[in-house]
mmCIF file of all heavy atoms in Angstrom:
data_model
loop_
_atom_site.group_PDB
_atom_site.id
_atom_site.type_symbol
_atom_site.label_atom_id
_atom_site.label_comp_id
_atom_site.label_asym_id
_atom_site.label_seq_id
_atom_site.Cartn_x
_atom_site.Cartn_y
_atom_site.Cartn_z
ATOM 1 N N MET A 1 37.000 63.044 10.542
ATOM 2 C CA MET A 1 36.213 61.954 10.007
ATOM 3 C C MET A 1 35.228 61.492 11.059
ATOM 4 O O MET A 1 35.522 61.469 12.247
ATOM 5 C CB MET A 1 37.131 60.795 9.595
ATOM 6 C CG MET A 1 36.364 59.660 8.980
ATOM 7 S SD MET A 1 37.391 58.433 8.146
ATOM 8 C CE MET A 1 37.726 57.332 9.497
ATOM 9 N N ASP A 2 34.055 61.109 10.636
ATOM 10 C CA ASP A 2 33.040 60.631 11.537
ATOM 11 C C ASP A 2 32.540 59.286 11.039
ATOM 12 O O ASP A 2 32.656 58.956 9.854
ATOM 13 C CB ASP A 2 31.871 61.623 11.592
ATOM 14 C CG ASP A 2 31.051 61.506 12.863
ATOM 15 O OD1 ASP A 2 31.317 60.570 13.635
ATOM 16 O OD2 ASP A 2 30.176 62.319 13.081
ATOM 17 N N THR A 3 32.014 58.485 11.920
ATOM 18 C CA THR A 3 31.443 57.200 11.517
ATOM 19 C C THR A 3 30.006 57.146 11.992
ATOM 20 O O THR A 3 29.624 57.764 12.977
ATOM 21 C CB THR A 3 32.238 56.023 12.110
ATOM 22 O OG1 THR A 3 32.264 56.143 13.531
ATOM 23 C CG2 THR A 3 33.671 56.008 11.588
ATOM 24 N N PHE A 4 29.216 56.368 11.294
ATOM 25 C CA PHE A 4 27.818 56.179 11.617
ATOM 26 C C PHE A 4 27.562 54.683 11.800
ATOM 27 O O PHE A 4 28.232 53.868 11.182
ATOM 28 C CB PHE A 4 26.919 56.698 10.479
ATOM 29 C CG PHE A 4 27.087 58.178 10.250
ATOM 30 C CD1 PHE A 4 28.034 58.662 9.370
ATOM 31 C CD2 PHE A 4 26.275 59.076 10.912
ATOM 32 C CE1 PHE A 4 28.205 60.011 9.156
ATOM 33 C CE2 PHE A 4 26.419 60.428 10.695
ATOM 34 C CZ PHE A 4 27.381 60.905 9.822
ATOM 35 N N PRO A 5 26.606 54.324 12.629
ATOM 36 C CA PRO A 5 26.255 52.904 12.753
ATOM 37 C C PRO A 5 25.886 52.323 11.383
ATOM 38 O O PRO A 5 25.238 52.987 10.576
ATOM 39 C CB PRO A 5 25.057 52.895 13.686
ATOM 40 C CG PRO A 5 25.114 54.201 14.406
ATOM 41 C CD PRO A 5 25.752 55.168 13.467
ATOM 42 N N GLN A 6 26.334 51.086 11.116
ATOM 43 C CA GLN A 6 26.080 50.477 9.817
ATOM 44 C C GLN A 6 24.588 50.390 9.480
ATOM 45 O O GLN A 6 24.217 50.403 8.309
ATOM 46 C CB GLN A 6 26.722 49.105 9.739
ATOM 47 C CG GLN A 6 28.228 49.191 9.620
ATOM 48 C CD GLN A 6 28.835 47.837 9.311
ATOM 49 O OE1 GLN A 6 28.185 46.819 9.244
ATOM 50 N NE2 GLN A 6 30.163 47.847 9.116
ATOM 51 N N ASP A 7 23.752 50.276 10.513
ATOM 52 C CA ASP A 7 22.313 50.126 10.241
ATOM 53 C C ASP A 7 21.593 51.466 10.171
ATOM 54 O O ASP A 7 20.362 51.501 10.104
ATOM 55 C CB ASP A 7 21.667 49.207 11.284
ATOM 56 C CG ASP A 7 21.765 49.779 12.703
ATOM 57 O OD1 ASP A 7 22.485 50.788 12.913
ATOM 58 O OD2 ASP A 7 21.122 49.212 13.595
ATOM 59 N N SER A 8 22.310 52.584 10.152
ATOM 60 C CA SER A 8 21.669 53.904 10.109
ATOM 61 C C SER A 8 21.333 54.368 8.689
ATOM 62 O O SER A 8 20.637 55.363 8.514
ATOM 63 C CB SER A 8 22.566 54.952 10.780
ATOM 64 O OG SER A 8 23.739 55.182 10.022
ATOM 65 N N HIS A 9 21.798 53.627 7.694
ATOM 66 C CA HIS A 9 21.520 53.995 6.310
ATOM 67 C C HIS A 9 21.822 52.803 5.413
ATOM 68 O O HIS A 9 22.552 51.913 5.804
ATOM 69 C CB HIS A 9 22.389 55.187 5.864
ATOM 70 C CG HIS A 9 23.857 54.936 5.982
ATOM 71 N ND1 HIS A 9 24.574 54.318 5.000
ATOM 72 C CD2 HIS A 9 24.719 55.190 6.980
ATOM 73 C CE1 HIS A 9 25.845 54.218 5.380
ATOM 74 N NE2 HIS A 9 25.957 54.725 6.596
ATOM 75 N N PRO A 10 21.236 52.778 4.221
ATOM 76 C CA PRO A 10 21.586 51.679 3.301
ATOM 77 C C PRO A 10 23.021 51.794 2.854
ATOM 78 O O PRO A 10 23.607 52.891 2.890
ATOM 79 C CB PRO A 10 20.623 51.882 2.110
ATOM 80 C CG PRO A 10 20.069 53.233 2.255
ATOM 81 C CD PRO A 10 20.244 53.694 3.668
ATOM 82 N N PRO A 11 23.642 50.693 2.458
ATOM 83 C CA PRO A 11 25.028 50.739 1.986
ATOM 84 C C PRO A 11 25.184 51.708 0.812
ATOM 85 O O PRO A 11 24.303 51.860 -0.016
ATOM 86 C CB PRO A 11 25.310 49.321 1.527
ATOM 87 C CG PRO A 11 24.282 48.471 2.142
ATOM 88 C CD PRO A 11 23.084 49.351 2.364
ATOM 89 N N ILE A 12 26.294 52.409 0.803
ATOM 90 C CA ILE A 12 26.617 53.290 -0.316
ATOM 91 C C ILE A 12 27.451 52.485 -1.301
ATOM 92 O O ILE A 12 28.470 51.910 -0.930
ATOM 93 C CB ILE A 12 27.401 54.531 0.173
ATOM 94 C CG1 ILE A 12 26.554 55.317 1.177
ATOM 95 C CG2 ILE A 12 27.813 55.402 -0.999
ATOM 96 C CD1 ILE A 12 27.308 56.402 1.919
ATOM 97 N N VAL A 13 27.008 52.451 -2.540
ATOM 98 C CA VAL A 13 27.692 51.670 -3.584
ATOM 99 C C VAL A 13 28.113 52.619 -4.687
ATOM 100 O O VAL A 13 27.334 53.476 -5.120
ATOM 101 C CB VAL A 13 26.739 50.580 -4.153
ATOM 102 C CG1 VAL A 13 27.422 49.813 -5.271
ATOM 103 C CG2 VAL A 13 26.287 49.650 -3.035
ATOM 104 N N TYR A 14 29.383 52.486 -5.096
ATOM 105 C CA TYR A 14 29.922 53.323 -6.160
ATOM 106 C C TYR A 14 30.106 52.433 -7.401
ATOM 107 O O TYR A 14 31.136 51.779 -7.552
ATOM 108 C CB TYR A 14 31.264 53.931 -5.741
ATOM 109 C CG TYR A 14 31.174 54.845 -4.562
ATOM 110 C CD1 TYR A 14 31.408 54.381 -3.274
ATOM 111 C CD2 TYR A 14 30.871 56.195 -4.735
ATOM 112 C CE1 TYR A 14 31.329 55.250 -2.181
ATOM 113 C CE2 TYR A 14 30.794 57.054 -3.654
ATOM 114 C CZ TYR A 14 31.021 56.576 -2.379
ATOM 115 O OH TYR A 14 30.937 57.414 -1.314
ATOM 116 N N PRO A 15 29.118 52.419 -8.305
ATOM 117 C CA PRO A 15 29.260 51.578 -9.479
ATOM 118 C C PRO A 15 30.228 52.191 -10.489
ATOM 119 O O PRO A 15 30.479 53.392 -10.498
ATOM 120 C CB PRO A 15 27.843 51.540 -10.064
ATOM 121 C CG PRO A 15 27.215 52.790 -9.577
ATOM 122 C CD PRO A 15 27.843 53.112 -8.237
ATOM 123 N N VAL A 16 30.785 51.337 -11.318
ATOM 124 C CA VAL A 16 31.680 51.787 -12.392
ATOM 125 C C VAL A 16 31.400 50.931 -13.613
ATOM 126 O O VAL A 16 31.074 49.745 -13.498
ATOM 127 C CB VAL A 16 33.152 51.691 -11.960
ATOM 128 C CG1 VAL A 16 33.549 50.284 -11.643
ATOM 129 C CG2 VAL A 16 34.058 52.295 -13.001
ATOM 130 N N ALA A 17 31.489 51.527 -14.798
ATOM 131 C CA ALA A 17 31.232 50.792 -16.024
ATOM 132 C C ALA A 17 31.933 51.478 -17.183
ATOM 133 O O ALA A 17 32.244 52.670 -17.118
ATOM 134 C CB ALA A 17 29.729 50.718 -16.318
ATOM 135 N N LEU A 18 32.178 50.746 -18.193
ATOM 136 C CA LEU A 18 32.725 51.272 -19.443
ATOM 137 C C LEU A 18 31.543 51.540 -20.381
ATOM 138 O O LEU A 18 30.748 50.641 -20.638
ATOM 139 C CB LEU A 18 33.683 50.249 -20.068
ATOM 140 C CG LEU A 18 34.413 50.660 -21.328
ATOM 141 C CD1 LEU A 18 35.308 51.856 -21.050
ATOM 142 C CD2 LEU A 18 35.243 49.503 -21.854
ATOM 143 N N THR A 19 31.422 52.760 -20.839
ATOM 144 C CA THR A 19 30.317 53.075 -21.733
ATOM 145 C C THR A 19 30.603 52.621 -23.154
ATOM 146 O O THR A 19 31.775 52.559 -23.587
ATOM 147 C CB THR A 19 30.034 54.583 -21.732
ATOM 148 O OG1 THR A 19 31.170 55.282 -22.222
ATOM 149 C CG2 THR A 19 29.667 55.090 -20.333
ATOM 150 N N ALA A 20 29.560 52.290 -23.862
ATOM 151 C CA ALA A 20 29.713 51.810 -25.245
ATOM 152 C C ALA A 20 30.321 52.865 -26.151
ATOM 153 O O ALA A 20 30.986 52.547 -27.136
ATOM 154 C CB ALA A 20 28.365 51.362 -25.790
ATOM 155 N N SER A 21 30.111 54.142 -25.823
ATOM 156 C CA SER A 21 30.616 55.213 -26.686
ATOM 157 C C SER A 21 31.998 55.711 -26.296
ATOM 158 O O SER A 21 32.502 56.650 -26.914
ATOM 159 C CB SER A 21 29.625 56.387 -26.662
ATOM 160 O OG SER A 21 29.531 56.915 -25.352
ATOM 161 N N SER A 22 32.632 55.066 -25.316
ATOM 162 C CA SER A 22 33.948 55.513 -24.868
ATOM 163 C C SER A 22 34.987 55.394 -25.997
ATOM 164 O O SER A 22 35.049 54.393 -26.680
ATOM 165 C CB SER A 22 34.427 54.684 -23.683
ATOM 166 O OG SER A 22 35.760 55.035 -23.345
ATOM 167 N N THR A 23 35.762 56.446 -26.152
ATOM 168 C CA THR A 23 36.855 56.431 -27.120
ATOM 169 C C THR A 23 38.208 56.469 -26.423
ATOM 170 O O THR A 23 39.255 56.569 -27.074
ATOM 171 C CB THR A 23 36.750 57.632 -28.088
ATOM 172 O OG1 THR A 23 36.793 58.848 -27.332
ATOM 173 C CG2 THR A 23 35.458 57.556 -28.896
ATOM 174 N N ASN A 24 38.188 56.416 -25.087
ATOM 175 C CA ASN A 24 39.423 56.440 -24.322
ATOM 176 C C ASN A 24 40.087 55.079 -24.416
ATOM 177 O O ASN A 24 39.549 54.075 -23.952
ATOM 178 C CB ASN A 24 39.133 56.795 -22.881
ATOM 179 C CG ASN A 24 40.376 56.979 -22.047
ATOM 180 O OD1 ASN A 24 41.347 56.226 -22.178
ATOM 181 N ND2 ASN A 24 40.366 57.987 -21.187
ATOM 182 N N THR A 25 41.276 55.034 -24.984
ATOM 183 C CA THR A 25 41.958 53.762 -25.206
ATOM 184 C C THR A 25 42.428 53.108 -23.906
ATOM 185 O O THR A 25 42.741 51.917 -23.895
ATOM 186 C CB THR A 25 43.165 53.953 -26.155
ATOM 187 O OG1 THR A 25 44.044 54.907 -25.588
ATOM 188 C CG2 THR A 25 42.709 54.423 -27.519
ATOM 189 N N GLU A 26 42.516 53.868 -22.826
ATOM 190 C CA GLU A 26 42.978 53.314 -21.561
ATOM 191 C C GLU A 26 41.835 52.966 -20.599
ATOM 192 O O GLU A 26 42.074 52.436 -19.514
ATOM 193 C CB GLU A 26 43.919 54.300 -20.907
ATOM 194 C CG GLU A 26 45.181 54.548 -21.741
ATOM 195 C CD GLU A 26 46.079 55.612 -21.138
ATOM 196 O OE1 GLU A 26 45.867 56.044 -19.990
ATOM 197 O OE2 GLU A 26 47.050 55.986 -21.817
ATOM 198 N N ALA A 27 40.606 53.241 -20.979
ATOM 199 C CA ALA A 27 39.478 53.025 -20.095
ATOM 200 C C ALA A 27 39.301 51.561 -19.700
ATOM 201 O O ALA A 27 39.076 51.246 -18.531
ATOM 202 C CB ALA A 27 38.197 53.565 -20.731
ATOM 203 N N LYS A 28 39.424 50.660 -20.660
ATOM 204 C CA LYS A 28 39.259 49.220 -20.370
ATOM 205 C C LYS A 28 40.337 48.740 -19.407
ATOM 206 O O LYS A 28 40.062 47.997 -18.456
ATOM 207 C CB LYS A 28 39.277 48.410 -21.661
ATOM 208 C CG LYS A 28 39.259 46.905 -21.471
ATOM 209 C CD LYS A 28 37.888 46.345 -21.297
ATOM 210 C CE LYS A 28 37.802 44.849 -21.397
ATOM 211 N NZ LYS A 28 38.416 44.086 -20.315
ATOM 212 N N ALA A 29 41.555 49.172 -19.622
ATOM 213 C CA ALA A 29 42.676 48.769 -18.745
ATOM 214 C C ALA A 29 42.444 49.290 -17.340
ATOM 215 O O ALA A 29 42.695 48.581 -16.350
ATOM 216 C CB ALA A 29 43.998 49.277 -19.289
ATOM 217 N N PHE A 30 41.950 50.519 -17.202
ATOM 218 C CA PHE A 30 41.671 51.075 -15.881
ATOM 219 C C PHE A 30 40.540 50.305 -15.210
ATOM 220 O O PHE A 30 40.639 49.950 -14.029
ATOM 221 C CB PHE A 30 41.288 52.550 -15.993
ATOM 222 C CG PHE A 30 40.956 53.178 -14.676
ATOM 223 C CD1 PHE A 30 41.916 53.307 -13.690
ATOM 224 C CD2 PHE A 30 39.670 53.614 -14.406
ATOM 225 C CE1 PHE A 30 41.613 53.898 -12.463
ATOM 226 C CE2 PHE A 30 39.350 54.185 -13.194
ATOM 227 C CZ PHE A 30 40.327 54.323 -12.207
ATOM 228 N N LEU A 31 39.492 49.999 -15.945
ATOM 229 C CA LEU A 31 38.384 49.219 -15.406
ATOM 230 C C LEU A 31 38.870 47.826 -14.970
ATOM 231 O O LEU A 31 38.505 47.351 -13.892
ATOM 232 C CB LEU A 31 37.273 49.094 -16.444
ATOM 233 C CG LEU A 31 35.970 48.442 -15.978
ATOM 234 C CD1 LEU A 31 35.352 49.213 -14.824
ATOM 235 C CD2 LEU A 31 35.008 48.321 -17.112
ATOM 236 N N ASP A 32 39.714 47.203 -15.765
ATOM 237 C CA ASP A 32 40.282 45.907 -15.388
ATOM 238 C C ASP A 32 41.121 46.010 -14.114
ATOM 239 O O ASP A 32 41.058 45.167 -13.240
ATOM 240 C CB ASP A 32 41.129 45.323 -16.528
ATOM 241 C CG ASP A 32 40.312 44.892 -17.727
ATOM 242 O OD1 ASP A 32 39.077 44.734 -17.589
ATOM 243 O OD2 ASP A 32 40.906 44.737 -18.816
ATOM 244 N N PHE A 33 41.912 47.083 -14.011
ATOM 245 C CA PHE A 33 42.728 47.291 -12.815
ATOM 246 C C PHE A 33 41.872 47.383 -11.555
ATOM 247 O O PHE A 33 42.237 46.855 -10.501
ATOM 248 C CB PHE A 33 43.581 48.555 -12.952
ATOM 249 C CG PHE A 33 44.219 48.965 -11.662
ATOM 250 C CD1 PHE A 33 45.292 48.243 -11.154
ATOM 251 C CD2 PHE A 33 43.748 50.035 -10.926
ATOM 252 C CE1 PHE A 33 45.879 48.605 -9.921
ATOM 253 C CE2 PHE A 33 44.302 50.401 -9.711
ATOM 254 C CZ PHE A 33 45.392 49.685 -9.216
ATOM 255 N N LEU A 34 40.703 48.026 -11.658
ATOM 256 C CA LEU A 34 39.842 48.177 -10.492
ATOM 257 C C LEU A 34 39.376 46.842 -9.915
ATOM 258 O O LEU A 34 38.945 46.787 -8.744
ATOM 259 C CB LEU A 34 38.635 49.066 -10.824
ATOM 260 C CG LEU A 34 38.960 50.525 -11.111
ATOM 261 C CD1 LEU A 34 37.691 51.266 -11.526
ATOM 262 C CD2 LEU A 34 39.638 51.197 -9.929
ATOM 263 N N SER A 35 39.492 45.769 -10.676
ATOM 264 C CA SER A 35 39.100 44.444 -10.211
ATOM 265 C C SER A 35 40.252 43.648 -9.627
ATOM 266 O O SER A 35 40.068 42.488 -9.276
ATOM 267 C CB SER A 35 38.484 43.647 -11.385
ATOM 268 O OG SER A 35 37.335 44.293 -11.856
ATOM 269 N N THR A 36 41.430 44.246 -9.528
ATOM 270 C CA THR A 36 42.605 43.515 -9.047
ATOM 271 C C THR A 36 42.737 43.606 -7.518
ATOM 272 O O THR A 36 42.144 44.476 -6.880
ATOM 273 C CB THR A 36 43.894 44.059 -9.672
ATOM 274 O OG1 THR A 36 44.135 45.395 -9.175
ATOM 275 C CG2 THR A 36 43.836 44.039 -11.186
ATOM 276 N N ALA A 37 43.530 42.702 -6.982
ATOM 277 C CA ALA A 37 43.823 42.718 -5.543
ATOM 278 C C ALA A 37 44.567 43.995 -5.154
ATOM 279 O O ALA A 37 44.376 44.516 -4.055
ATOM 280 C CB ALA A 37 44.641 41.490 -5.161
ATOM 281 N N ASP A 38 45.431 44.488 -6.045
ATOM 282 C CA ASP A 38 46.148 45.735 -5.745
ATOM 283 C C ASP A 38 45.195 46.909 -5.572
ATOM 284 O O ASP A 38 45.348 47.725 -4.662
ATOM 285 C CB ASP A 38 47.161 46.053 -6.857
ATOM 286 C CG ASP A 38 48.358 45.126 -6.869
ATOM 287 O OD1 ASP A 38 48.652 44.502 -5.815
ATOM 288 O OD2 ASP A 38 49.006 45.026 -7.919
ATOM 289 N N ALA A 39 44.204 46.997 -6.447
ATOM 290 C CA ALA A 39 43.221 48.073 -6.335
ATOM 291 C C ALA A 39 42.395 47.904 -5.072
ATOM 292 O O ALA A 39 42.092 48.874 -4.375
ATOM 293 C CB ALA A 39 42.325 48.117 -7.560
ATOM 294 N N ALA A 40 41.983 46.654 -4.782
ATOM 295 C CA ALA A 40 41.182 46.399 -3.587
ATOM 296 C C ALA A 40 41.941 46.847 -2.340
ATOM 297 O O ALA A 40 41.362 47.446 -1.435
ATOM 298 C CB ALA A 40 40.834 44.906 -3.492
ATOM 299 N N LYS A 41 43.230 46.608 -2.294
ATOM 300 C CA LYS A 41 44.032 47.013 -1.140
ATOM 301 C C LYS A 41 44.017 48.535 -0.972
ATOM 302 O O LYS A 41 43.891 49.039 0.133
ATOM 303 C CB LYS A 41 45.470 46.497 -1.243
ATOM 304 C CG LYS A 41 46.308 46.906 -0.074
ATOM 305 C CD LYS A 41 47.612 46.189 0.003
ATOM 306 C CE LYS A 41 48.508 46.601 1.171
ATOM 307 N NZ LYS A 41 48.011 47.509 2.142
ATOM 308 N N VAL A 42 44.147 49.256 -2.082
ATOM 309 C CA VAL A 42 44.107 50.715 -2.018
ATOM 310 C C VAL A 42 42.781 51.176 -1.435
ATOM 311 O O VAL A 42 42.745 52.026 -0.526
ATOM 312 C CB VAL A 42 44.342 51.347 -3.433
ATOM 313 C CG1 VAL A 42 44.100 52.853 -3.398
ATOM 314 C CG2 VAL A 42 45.747 51.028 -3.917
ATOM 315 N N PHE A 43 41.677 50.635 -1.953
ATOM 316 C CA PHE A 43 40.357 51.020 -1.447
ATOM 317 C C PHE A 43 40.195 50.656 0.020
ATOM 318 O O PHE A 43 39.714 51.473 0.829
ATOM 319 C CB PHE A 43 39.239 50.362 -2.285
ATOM 320 C CG PHE A 43 39.044 51.011 -3.629
ATOM 321 C CD1 PHE A 43 39.329 50.314 -4.778
ATOM 322 C CD2 PHE A 43 38.561 52.301 -3.742
ATOM 323 C CE1 PHE A 43 39.134 50.896 -6.035
ATOM 324 C CE2 PHE A 43 38.368 52.904 -4.976
ATOM 325 C CZ PHE A 43 38.660 52.185 -6.123
ATOM 326 N N GLU A 44 40.590 49.450 0.385
ATOM 327 C CA GLU A 44 40.430 49.018 1.777
ATOM 328 C C GLU A 44 41.322 49.820 2.708
ATOM 329 O O GLU A 44 40.899 50.156 3.816
ATOM 330 C CB GLU A 44 40.759 47.518 1.882
ATOM 331 C CG GLU A 44 39.669 46.668 1.229
ATOM 332 C CD GLU A 44 40.055 45.231 1.012
ATOM 333 O OE1 GLU A 44 41.254 44.883 1.192
ATOM 334 O OE2 GLU A 44 39.151 44.425 0.707
ATOM 335 N N ASP A 45 42.502 50.205 2.258
ATOM 336 C CA ASP A 45 43.380 51.059 3.076
ATOM 337 C C ASP A 45 42.757 52.418 3.354
ATOM 338 O O ASP A 45 43.058 53.070 4.332
ATOM 339 C CB ASP A 45 44.747 51.234 2.428
ATOM 340 C CG ASP A 45 45.608 49.970 2.469
ATOM 341 O OD1 ASP A 45 45.249 49.031 3.191
ATOM 342 O OD2 ASP A 45 46.669 49.978 1.784
ATOM 343 N N GLU A 46 41.860 52.842 2.465
ATOM 344 C CA GLU A 46 41.167 54.127 2.615
ATOM 345 C C GLU A 46 39.808 53.968 3.317
ATOM 346 O O GLU A 46 39.050 54.924 3.407
ATOM 347 C CB GLU A 46 40.992 54.798 1.257
ATOM 348 C CG GLU A 46 42.292 55.217 0.613
ATOM 349 C CD GLU A 46 43.090 56.212 1.449
ATOM 350 O OE1 GLU A 46 42.458 57.102 2.094
ATOM 351 O OE2 GLU A 46 44.329 56.136 1.461
ATOM 352 N N GLY A 47 39.524 52.750 3.783
ATOM 353 C CA GLY A 47 38.305 52.551 4.577
ATOM 354 C C GLY A 47 37.101 52.047 3.831
ATOM 355 O O GLY A 47 36.014 51.935 4.398
ATOM 356 N N PHE A 48 37.275 51.727 2.563
ATOM 357 C CA PHE A 48 36.159 51.191 1.763
ATOM 358 C C PHE A 48 36.063 49.681 1.939
ATOM 359 O O PHE A 48 37.030 49.025 2.224
ATOM 360 C CB PHE A 48 36.338 51.500 0.278
ATOM 361 C CG PHE A 48 36.191 52.945 -0.067
ATOM 362 C CD1 PHE A 48 37.279 53.822 -0.020
ATOM 363 C CD2 PHE A 48 34.967 53.449 -0.478
ATOM 364 C CE1 PHE A 48 37.152 55.158 -0.343
ATOM 365 C CE2 PHE A 48 34.802 54.774 -0.804
ATOM 366 C CZ PHE A 48 35.914 55.645 -0.752
ATOM 367 N N THR A 49 34.866 49.151 1.727
ATOM 368 C CA THR A 49 34.658 47.716 1.675
ATOM 369 C C THR A 49 34.496 47.363 0.206
ATOM 370 O O THR A 49 33.650 47.921 -0.486
ATOM 371 C CB THR A 49 33.397 47.302 2.436
ATOM 372 O OG1 THR A 49 33.560 47.671 3.810
ATOM 373 C CG2 THR A 49 33.145 45.802 2.331
ATOM 374 N N VAL A 50 35.321 46.430 -0.261
ATOM 375 C CA VAL A 50 35.274 46.037 -1.675
ATOM 376 C C VAL A 50 34.331 44.858 -1.825
ATOM 377 O O VAL A 50 34.491 43.846 -1.168
ATOM 378 C CB VAL A 50 36.687 45.673 -2.187
ATOM 379 C CG1 VAL A 50 36.629 45.199 -3.630
ATOM 380 C CG2 VAL A 50 37.622 46.895 -2.056
ATOM 381 N N LEU A 51 33.332 45.011 -2.667
ATOM 382 C CA LEU A 51 32.384 43.928 -2.948
ATOM 383 C C LEU A 51 33.009 42.917 -3.868
ATOM 384 O O LEU A 51 33.760 43.258 -4.785
ATOM 385 C CB LEU A 51 31.093 44.475 -3.564
ATOM 386 C CG LEU A 51 30.372 45.532 -2.739
ATOM 387 C CD1 LEU A 51 29.155 46.054 -3.501
ATOM 388 C CD2 LEU A 51 29.971 44.981 -1.387
ATOM 389 N N LYS A 52 32.707 41.667 -3.666
ATOM 390 C CA LYS A 52 33.234 40.597 -4.511
ATOM 391 C C LYS A 52 32.283 40.310 -5.645
ATOM 392 O O LYS A 52 31.140 40.440 -5.580
ATOM 393 C CB LYS A 52 33.473 39.318 -3.703
ATOM 394 C CG LYS A 52 34.356 39.557 -2.497
ATOM 395 C CD LYS A 52 35.744 39.968 -2.880
ATOM 396 C CE LYS A 52 36.588 40.190 -1.642
ATOM 397 N NZ LYS A 52 37.717 41.003 -1.820
#
């Protein structure tokens, strides 16, 4: 793994959304989970910064 200075590039943002045409019955629950403290901990443990 390598790290770069924070000012060497713009922040990388990984957006997520539920599409209007989704037929997956679990998609909304998964999207809701991604907003929980439990999910934030998983991301932060892997080195991500969770936006509020």
Side-chain angles (χ1 to χ4, degrees):
M1 182 168 89
D2 202 354
T3 57
F4 298 89
Q6 287 189 357
D7 62 350
S8 68
H9 59 85
I12 299 169
V13 178
Y14 297 94
V16 61
L18 184 62
T19 61
S21 62
S22 174
T23 59
N24 186 319
T25 57
E26 298 176 8
K28 173 85 168 70
F30 179 66
L31 187 60
D32 290 344
F33 168 74
L34 292 176
S35 298
T36 67
D38 288 339
K41 180 168 179 6
V42 171
F43 285 114
E44 290 167 349
D45 287 350
E46 294 299 323
F48 290 88
T49 300
V50 177
L51 303 177
K52 305 296 179 200

